[in-house]
Amino acid sequence: TDGKLLVVGTLLGSGTDVLLLRYNVNGSLDNGFGTNGSVVLDAGADETAYGIALQPDGSIVVCGSSGTINALDVLLCRFTVDGTPDTGFGNNGLVLTDAGNNVDQGNAVLVSPDGRILVAGGGGDLGQCLVQLGAHLPDRRAGPLDDGAHILGGHAEVQRPQVPTPPPHPHERGV
């Protein structure tokens, strides 16, 4: 509602880390956010960010992956309005989820109207996963998985609907 723009990405260096930037309406970095408009999250491995969402209270939720090239887990982290990690979420603002594949990642995050955090992603061998967090807590804000049971796997394939070909017009039948 304040017109500021949040951008999430990956900072490349000796490894990779989550990069979060906030811009003012005029395009300048917001110096009241993080350190001079930017936040870098290093969870101790290689982190990559893919998705971002805002919660109604202004908290920022970011999803991606964390680990090594052959052992990645879904990464979910939450930051306060000013860009500091939310220590009341997961383990100091960070939740890592092994969705059952060697290489798991969160590609998109959504905060539902009732406060549940949903992460959609993928894994090794083209598997898909859906992780739901915080749904069993009254305030819907904490980070553990819903009873540890809401990790779904499988494959999804989008197919175009078959459109029937209309019968030829009577003049086109050669009658």
Side-chain angles (χ1 to χ4, degrees):
T1 60
D2 61 3
K4 294 183 180 182
L5 178 67
L6 282 166
V7 177
V8 67
T10 303
L11 179 66
L12 302 175
S14 59
T16 59
D17 298 319
V18 170
L19 175 65
L20 186 59
L21 302 167
R22 188 166 73 187
Y23 292 90
N24 292 311
V25 176
N26 67 5
S28 65
L29 284 171
D30 180 357
N31 290 328
F33 182 77
T35 304
N36 298 319
S38 69
V39 173
V40 175
L41 173 74
D42 180 357
D46 284 335
E47 293 80 37
T48 304
Y50 296 110
I52 188 169
L54 287 177
Q55 291 188 294
D57 67 355
S59 294
I60 304 156
V61 182
V62 174
C63 72
S65 64
S66 178
T68 61
I69 195 158
N70 292 318
L72 292 172
D73 290 331
V74 174
L75 166 87
L76 187 68
C77 45
R78 187 166 65 192
F79 302 91
T80 62
V81 175
D82 67 0
T84 58
D86 184 346
T87 58
F89 181 80
N91 184 11
N92 292 317
L94 181 68
V95 174
L96 296 175
T97 303
D98 181 352
N101 297 301
N102 290 332
V103 181
D104 303 316
Q105 65 188 35
N107 294 325
V109 61
L110 169 79
V111 177
S112 67
D114 65 0
R116 290 184 174 123
I117 300 170
L118 301 170
V119 179
D125 300 326
L126 300 176
Q128 284 74 43
C129 64
L130 177 65
V131 179
Q132 181 174 322
L133 292 111
H136 69 289
L137 299 170
D139 65 2
R140 310 260 191 241
R141 294 192 68 233
L145 285 172
D146 278 355
D147 306 322
H150 289 84
I151 298 176
L152 309 173
H155 288 284
E157 186 176 318
V158 176
Q159 295 184 349
R160 299 175 80 192
Q162 296 295 323
V163 178
T165 305
H169 191 274
H171 298 294
E172 296 174 355
R173 286 190 216 167
V175 184

